[in-house]
Amino acid sequence: AVVSTQSTGIFSKHLTEQFPSFPFDESAKFLFLTLEIKLKSISFPTMTVPNSTHTELEIKDEAVRYLWAFWYLFVIITSLVGDTIILIASIKYKAIKLHCVIVAFIQHIAASDILVSVTLLTPTAISLLANKWVFGSLVCHIRPYFSYPGYQAGRLLICGMTTCKLLILKYPLRSVSWSAGRAHVVCAVMWFLS
């Protein structure tokens, strides 16, 4: 397949403008044109627009929309109940009998889970039930600033807890001196990085 220089798409045009001295051959231009056609054919889900008649997932079938909404509600309820039990059991009753560093990581993971459930899953479930965005433009614009850092912090905290477990197994005598305060500082750094 031969592609003329007039039929190149946005990607190849952008690259030839950015790098005018680089010799793009016809196969590279064909690759960029194919990529552009593929990207145009994909429909990406969009964020919810206030006063829109479509949810952020753009599910048009009512049965599927209710199925997804109830699934989200199930996840929200189990997350809130389970994470609250974990936090109460580990902070108030000291019921989790693990290494103090692991318990600190578990507490922070539960907190990030609650944050994601409240800021990301709850508005999504309600907008699915209502079939439109009902929280207004302010919540629409500030929601990502609260939900996505909680999600990223949860991922970092899980990685940190796994690394900590490995270090406890590898250095059992050194890990005796590790404190919960130091673990909370490490978790705070992970929250800051997210």
Side-chain angles (χ1 to χ4, degrees):
V2 177
V3 178
S4 66
T5 56
Q6 290 88 11
S7 65
T8 56
I10 294 172
F11 293 119
S12 59
K13 182 180 176 187
H14 177 70
L15 285 174
T16 53
E17 288 173 0
Q18 291 291 344
F19 306 103
S21 62
F22 190 81
F24 289 103
D25 61 350
E26 295 300 316
S27 62
K29 291 177 183 177
F30 178 72
L31 176 68
F32 289 126
L33 182 64
T34 307
L35 181 63
E36 182 181 348
I37 291 169
K38 292 284 187 192
L39 286 176
K40 284 182 180 178
S41 67
I42 298 173
S43 62
F44 294 102
T46 57
M47 284 299 292
T48 308
V49 179
N51 302 325
S52 173
T53 58
H54 298 289
T55 61
E56 67 181 298
L57 301 175
E58 296 191 17
I59 300 172
K60 305 219 178 0
D61 185 16
E62 199 164 320
V64 174
R65 188 170 48 84
Y66 281 121
L67 180 69
W68 275 106
F70 286 114
W71 173 252
Y72 274 107
L73 289 174
F74 173 74
V75 171
I76 291 165
I77 291 168
T78 56
S79 174
L80 291 177
V81 169
D83 292 328
T84 305
I85 289 172
I86 287 172
L87 288 174
I88 291 171
S90 64
I91 294 171
K92 186 175 181 183
Y93 297 110
K94 309 283 186 209
I96 300 177
K97 302 295 182 198
L98 294 172
H99 196 281
C100 61
V101 175
I102 301 296
V103 172
F105 273 103
I106 290 172
Q107 291 169 350
H108 284 271
I109 291 168
S112 73
D113 235 9
I114 290 173
L115 181 66
V116 169
S117 293
V118 169
T119 60
L120 182 67
L121 299 179
T122 303
T124 303
I126 293 172
S127 71
L128 279 170
L129 285 172
N131 200 21
K132 64 179 181 176
W133 183 255
V134 294
F135 294 102
S137 63
L138 179 67
V139 175
C140 181
H141 292 296
I142 65 170
R143 181 177 81 147
Y145 297 106
F146 291 103
S147 60
Y148 296 127
Y151 178 71
Q152 295 299 330
R155 292 170 61 186
L156 283 174
L157 289 164
I158 289 170
C159 291
M161 184 177 68
T162 305
T163 305
C164 184
K165 285 180 180 181
L166 173 72
L167 293 175
I168 288 172
L169 289 173
K170 187 167 182 172
Y171 306 108
L173 297 177
R174 285 188 198 171
S175 66
V176 174
S177 64
W178 296 348
S179 66
R182 183 179 287 179
H184 285 294
V185 169
V186 170
C187 291
V189 168
M190 290 181 177
W191 277 98
F192 178 75
L193 289 175
S194 65

